[in-house]
């Protein structure tokens, strides 16, 4: 195995140049603005489920579709921007590529917004075939617009990730960037963990996006030629391979940022070793096969595949926690850290990821999934690792990236977000424990008071907690505008953060 | 089962939060190589988790719904067709589908499919517990075998989003 570095040479000391920094800021500001809008849609849905307001069902489901697409798509985009940042710390990146993708993403987002909010397209974020096309309450243009908009987003994602892979491959070589050298022992030149994580994320992300693109082409064909029939089970598989993969990858991209930045705060190195390599490469495989757990209740799917799904889902728990959660623990424990928002946010994101992960592993048990599938337990677990997981990494990163120093205000906002966030997801869990089905515009038609009453009740509390979360997030954003470190101060505070 | 899952998740959440609080407090101390003990704990953790996961696999895999009561001849078969937006029942014995009656304590088979889009066939007992489900997918028949040990009215709700009236796609049957 060769240890030669490729055509590009990584910077000795990782550092973000001013142009790349601005580019990342603009991307994240855009994604976070979209995030706030999506949160408001979420609160609106919860209010409707709580019988505090009365939306037409098709309005509710259009909001739900927009919310799901906006959150999953928006946060995946943010994840890709984060691994771009990790790459830009080491290499001169091509900014034109990123700006073109930025425009593509905006076009895609406007398309989806128009289709859902104006046209009331409401097939749900993973739009199971053939729902978008049958007896639809939404006009035909909204179907085509959604498909094409998602394809445009997919192109942007592919281009960004391929560009990252291109640079990493040129800089480190294909084998090295996955850390494969470590199988043979400690290499002469150590590999930064963020590079390996970026390579793993981009690979999974590209595979997921390609499967998504293929699925969307079939959808487009169906839209143009309504008489054709495709197989719903096959398309359900490909749709989840796409959707499940990209939302997982988003989270892993966030972890990459944490591996990169945490050492700057703890002053302890975070190095690649063989265990880390094995774990992350195994995670790549597990991510790709775990999606089968979405199809447990499709009894037509071969039983061997279902069992594989459970094993892959369980398998992902071990490397993920033993390496990353313990990694964070050993970064922090007795490090003498001065707690500021960024490391605290990173630690809390891992907490949310762990809790959501545990809830996910439980639901990934076929025997349990029988009674949890498509109840509110499902949004409960994925909101846990997004809202009080990945989103917290984003906030911590933002605080770091903007050199914010309004620690007090940022902390106040952040703790408010935590209280609101955990309260909000708790209401989903309690709904799941009461067997409340997910994706119900309201619960009034359910003939079982022991389901509909708690369902309504928890929904209202969920809306209140989510509003608290939103309030905290706004305070947090405010804090970034109020106090910034001067470049000199930032250099001191962040020394090594670049490393 | 549902409650157990709830308590388990709660327990894990409390442990993780507790450990985080502990680490948060201890992180302020500065001890060179003070984290060596974390790696020691990790070994035990990894071993314990591996055992727990293997145990859970061994316990749970025999309880999949796929082959339930496969050695018994079902006392009744009911064809179930999900449509936008109602559930159609066709009992094999030709009895009335409007007031479907399922025999108590005997294996019955629901042969579930859909006429238009995906639906989810979810059965709730009269106390509101989800007792079983399977997807209703056009072009496929999912066979769900169950035994009902409690007499009474059972509700059928749709568990897969299927458009505007999804939340009102409700039917039911009686077990006696
Ligand atoms: C405070 C913030 C949030 C609120 C109030 C909120 C609210 C909601 C509600 C009420 C639903 C419908 C639940 C149901 O099935 O009955 C939902 C679904 C969903 N949410 Fe959120 N959410 C929030 C944050 C997030 C985040 C951070 C993500 C990131 C991925 C996310 C992604 C989704 C997705 C993918 C769905 C499923 C949509 C579908 O079923 O088509 N949400 N959310
Ligand atoms: Cu439905």
């Amino acid at each position: 195995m060769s240890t030669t570095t490729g055509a590009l040479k990584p910077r000795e000391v990782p550092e973000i140049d001013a142009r790349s920094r601005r580019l990342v800021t603009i991307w994240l500001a855009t994604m976070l603005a979209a995030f706030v809008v999506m949160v408001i849609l979420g609160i609106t849905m919860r209010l409707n489920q709580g019988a505090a307001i009365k939306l037409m069902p098709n309005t509710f489901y259009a909001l739900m579709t927009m919310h799901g697409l906006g959150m999953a798509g928006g946060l995946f985009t943010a994840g890709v921007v984060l691994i771009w940042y990790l790459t830009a710390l080491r290499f001169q990146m091509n900014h034109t590529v990123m700006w073109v993708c930025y425009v593509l993403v905006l076009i895609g987002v406007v398309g989806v917004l128009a289709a859902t909010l104006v046209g009331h397209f409401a097939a749900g974020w993973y739009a199971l075939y053939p729902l978008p096309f049958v007896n639809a309450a939404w006009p035909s243009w909204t179907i085509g617009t959604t498909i094409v908009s998602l394809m445009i987003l997919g192109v942007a994602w592919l281009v960004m990730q391929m560009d990252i892979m291109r640079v990493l491959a040129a800089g480190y070589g294909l084998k090295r960037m996955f850390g494969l050298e470590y199988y043979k022992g400690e290499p002469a030149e150590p590999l930064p963990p963020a590079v390996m994580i970026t390579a793993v994320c981009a690979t999974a992300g590209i595979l997921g996006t390609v499967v998504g693109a293929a699925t969307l082409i079939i959808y487009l064909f169906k839209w143009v030629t309504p008489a054709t029939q495709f197989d719903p089970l096959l398309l359900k598989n490909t749709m989840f391979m796409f959707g499940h993969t990209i939302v997982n990858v988003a989270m892993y991209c966030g972890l990459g940022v944490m591996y990169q930045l945490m050492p700057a705060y703890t002053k302890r190195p975070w190095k690649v070793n063989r265990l880390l390599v094995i774990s992350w490469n195994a995670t790549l495989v597990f991510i790709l096969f775990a999606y089968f757990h979405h199809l447990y209740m499709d009894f037509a799917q071969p039983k061997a595949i279902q069992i594989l799904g459970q094993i892959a889902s369980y398998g992902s728990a071990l490397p993920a926690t033993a390496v990353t959660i313990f990694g964070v623990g050993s970064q922090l424990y007795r490090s003498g850290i001065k707690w500021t928002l960024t490391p605290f946010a990173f630690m809390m994101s891992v907490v949310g990821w762990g809790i959501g992960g545990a809830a996910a592993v439980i639901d990934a048990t076929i025997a349990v999934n029988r009674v949890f599938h498509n109840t509110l337990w499902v949004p409960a677990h994925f909101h846990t690792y997004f809202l009080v997981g990945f989103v917290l990494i984003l906030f911590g990163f933002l605080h770091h990236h903007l050199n914010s120093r309004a620690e007090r205000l940022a902390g106040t906002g952040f703790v408010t977000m935590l209280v609101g966030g955990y309260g909000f997801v708790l209401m989903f869990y309690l709904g799941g424990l009461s067997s409340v089905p997910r994706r119900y515009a309201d619960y009034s038609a359910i003939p079982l008071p022991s389901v509909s009453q708690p369902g309504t009740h928890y929904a209202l509390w969920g809306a209140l907690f989510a509003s608290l979360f939103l309030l905290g997030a706004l305070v947090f954003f405010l804090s970034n505008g109020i106090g910034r470190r001067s470049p000199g101060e930032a250099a001191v505070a962040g020394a090594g953060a670049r490393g | 089962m549902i409650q157990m899952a709830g308590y388990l998740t709660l327990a894990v959440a409390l442990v993780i939060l507790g450990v985080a609080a502990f680490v948060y407090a201890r992180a302020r101390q500065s001890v060179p190589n003070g984290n060596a003990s974390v790696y020691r704990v990790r070994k035990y953790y990894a071993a314990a988790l591996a055992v727990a996961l293997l145990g859970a696999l061994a316990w749970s895999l025999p309880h999949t719904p796929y082959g339930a009561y496969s050695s018994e001849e079902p006392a009744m078969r009911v064809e179930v067709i999900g449509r936008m937006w109602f559930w159609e029942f066709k009992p094999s014995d030709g009895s009335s589908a409007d007031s479907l009656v399922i025999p108590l304590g005997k294996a019955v088979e629901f042969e579930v499919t859909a006429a238009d889009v995906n639906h989810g066939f979810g059965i709730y007992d009269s106390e509101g517990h989800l007792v079983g489900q399977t997807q209703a997918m056009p072009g496929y028949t999912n066979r769900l075998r169950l035994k009902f040990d409690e007499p009474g009215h059972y509700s059928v709700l749709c568990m897969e989003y299927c458009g505007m009236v999804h939340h009102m796609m409700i039917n039911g049957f009686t077990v006696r």
Side-chain angles (χ1 to χ4, degrees):
Chain A
M1 189 185 298
S2 91
T3 51
T4 47
T5 333
L8 288 176
K9 226 181 142 33
R11 282 181 203 118
E12 292 286 333
V13 180
E15 194 175 17
I16 194 90
D17 60 277
R19 274 175 65 221
S20 301
R21 161 185 293 279
R22 219 189 70 215
L23 191 144
V24 169
T25 309
I26 293 174
W27 267 102
L28 288 187
T30 313
M31 291 304 122
L32 287 168
F35 172 75
V36 168
V37 177
M38 295 306 128
V39 169
I40 293 171
L41 298 189
I43 295 173
T44 313
M45 280 191 279
R46 239 22 206 142
L47 284 173
N48 197 63
Q49 292 174 328
I53 58 173
K54 189 105 194 75
L55 300 173
M56 300 290 288
N58 61 341
T59 310
F60 176 94
Y61 291 122
L63 296 187
M64 181 186 87
T65 304
M66 184 62 236
H67 171 85
L69 284 173
M71 284 294 193
L75 293 182
F76 179 62
T77 310
V80 175
V81 172
L82 290 182
I83 56 173
W84 186 88
Y85 164 88
L86 292 175
T87 316
L89 285 174
R90 298 180 168 82
F91 299 97
Q92 181 58 48
M93 301 296 283
N94 184 333
H95 289 88
T96 314
V97 167
M98 280 305 266
W99 286 119
V100 170
C101 290
Y102 184 78
V103 174
L104 289 178
V105 167
L106 287 189
I107 295 173
V109 169
V110 169
V112 177
L113 280 170
T116 54
L117 300 188
V118 180
H120 281 157
F121 176 77
W125 86 277
Y126 49 80
L128 285 185
Y129 180 88
L131 178 58
F133 310 99
V134 179
N135 291 340
W138 43 87
S140 172
W141 71 265
T142 64
I143 308 171
T145 305
T146 306
I147 298 170
V148 172
S149 303
L150 292 178
M151 289 172 106
I152 293 174
L153 285 171
V155 168
W157 292 336
L158 263 184
V159 170
M160 288 191 280
Q161 296 178 98
M162 304 270 267
D163 197 45
I164 292 169
M165 289 297 265
R166 174 187 64 79
V167 172
L168 288 187
Y172 294 96
L174 268 177
K175 271 183 190 164
R176 246 194 103 200
M177 70 197 208
F178 289 100
L180 300 185
E181 276 186 325
Y182 284 82
Y183 285 114
K184 281 173 59 183
E186 196 78 18
E189 246 180 283
L191 181 74
V195 169
M196 182 190 66
I197 295 176
T198 300
V200 165
C201 287
T203 307
I206 288 171
L207 289 173
T209 313
V210 168
V211 173
T215 311
L216 287 168
I217 289 172
I218 291 176
Y219 275 55
L220 192 64
F221 194 83
K222 170 77 182 174
W223 181 59
V224 175
T225 322
T228 20
Q229 299 294 334
F230 294 97
D231 187 84
L233 187 58
L234 177 67
L235 287 174
K236 187 171 179 182
N237 271 281
T238 60
M239 194 51 121
F240 276 111
M241 180 153 195
F242 165 52
H244 180 263
T245 305
I246 66 159
V247 293
N248 272 269
V249 167
M251 181 71 208
Y252 288 101
C253 293
L255 295 179
V257 164
M258 189 176 68
Y259 276 74
Q260 177 69 35
L261 297 183
M262 198 64 139
Y265 294 93
T266 61
K267 309 280 186 287
R268 269 185 186 150
W270 200 338
K271 293 208 193 97
V272 173
N273 54 36
R274 195 185 297 172
L275 182 67
L276 202 75
V277 173
I278 295 175
S279 297
W280 275 88
N281 286 304
T283 302
L284 172 64
V285 176
F286 289 138
I287 300 179
L288 295 174
F289 289 102
Y291 88 85
F292 291 130
H293 61 220
H294 289 274
L295 286 97
Y296 286 159
M297 292 302 115
D298 283 282
F299 293 6
Q301 188 100 321
K303 188 174 170 186
I305 288 189
Q306 311 286 25
I307 290 173
L308 181 67
Q310 183 171 337
I311 293 173
S313 310
Y314 274 35
S316 60
L318 193 59
T321 59
V323 167
T324 295
I325 297 191
F326 273 78
V328 176
S330 67
Q331 273 284 306
L332 290 168
Y333 190 66
R334 292 177 163 173
S335 64
I337 194 173
K338 186 173 162 291
W339 279 111
T340 52
L341 188 111
T342 300
F344 183 61
F346 287 168
M347 183 185 80
M348 290 314 292
S349 79
V350 173
V351 168
W353 183 53
I355 298 174
V361 166
I362 290 173
D363 192 27
T365 309
I366 301 168
V368 176
N369 190 258
R370 263 182 65 237
V371 285
F372 269 169
H373 184 66
N374 282 350
T375 68
L376 286 181
W377 190 269
V378 178
H381 86 260
F382 71 71
H383 282 89
T384 312
Y385 50 65
F386 271 101
L387 193 63
V388 288
F390 178 66
V391 168
L392 304 187
I393 296 191
L394 270 186
F395 278 63
F397 174 75
L398 196 70
H399 190 79
H400 172 89
H401 186 70
L402 297 179
N403 291 314
S404 175
R405 67 168 166 199
E407 290 294 336
R408 191 53 90 61
L409 195 59
T412 310
F414 192 80
V415 171
T416 313
M417 282 169 58
L418 283 181
V419 174
Y422 273 99
F424 166 71
V425 295
L426 179 64
M427 294 306 125
F428 271 153
Y429 283 111
L430 293 176
L433 292 175
S434 298
S435 298
V436 179
R438 76 183 279 205
R439 297 174 132 189
Y440 270 35
D442 63 65
Y443 306 117
S444 58
I446 300 178
L448 300 155
S450 56
V451 176
S452 61
Q453 281 171 6
T456 310
H457 193 71
Y458 296 143
L460 200 53
W461 279 102
L464 288 175
F465 277 117
S467 308
L468 192 64
F469 174 92
L470 182 60
L471 183 73
L474 295 177
V475 170
F476 178 87
F477 291 141
L478 195 68
S479 79
N480 288 302
I482 284 178
R484 301 271 197 89
R485 291 193 182 91
S486 66
E489 277 178 285
V492 175
R498 288 89 186 276
Chain B
M1 169 93 76
I2 291 192
Q3 269 188 344
M4 205 174 85
Y7 285 124
L8 190 59
T9 308
L10 182 67
V12 172
L14 291 178
V15 168
I16 295 181
L17 284 168
V19 170
F22 174 74
V23 169
Y24 180 83
R26 285 296 170 91
R28 286 208 181 89
Q29 303 173 351
S30 179
V31 180
N33 287 327
N35 56 359
S37 52
V38 176
Y39 292 108
R40 239 174 292 133
V41 174
R42 175 164 79 180
K43 278 194 203 129
Y44 295 109
Y45 165 82
L49 182 64
V51 169
L53 288 174
L54 286 174
L57 274 178
W59 164 79
S60 67
L61 285 182
H63 291 88
T64 70
Y66 311 125
Y69 309 115
S70 54
S71 57
E72 293 173 45
E73 183 56 28
M76 184 177 188
R77 291 174 197 270
V78 184
E79 202 184 322
V80 177
I81 304 158
R83 292 176 192 280
M84 291 161 127
W85 284 279
F86 60 96
W87 292 106
E88 190 184 339
F89 298 142
K90 289 189 186 161
S92 59
D93 60 3
S95 63
S96 160
D98 290 335
S99 49
L100 179 66
V101 176
I102 303 269
L104 180 70
K106 297 207 178 106
V108 286
E109 179 171 281
F110 298 95
E111 296 162 353
V112 183
T113 187
D116 35 42
V117 300
N118 290 291
H119 302 275
F121 177 68
I123 303 174
Y124 283 72
D125 68 15
S126 57
E127 273 146 34
H129 303 299
L130 187 53
V131 293
Q133 63 172 310
T134 188
Q135 290 275 307
M137 185 178 267
Y140 290 86
T141 301
N142 291 329
R143 293 166 201 281
L144 172 68
R145 287 195 183 184
L146 288 171
K147 252 182 207 174
F148 297 93
D149 295 325
E150 292 288 330
H153 188 261
Y154 286 73
S155 303
V156 172
L157 270 58
C158 187
M159 303 301 288
E160 186 63 66
Y161 175 63
C162 56
M164 295 307 96
V165 196
H166 164 60
H167 56 293
M168 295 198 274
M169 185 169 157
I170 292 161
N171 203 335
F173 54 80
T174 305
V175 169
R176 73 166 175 256

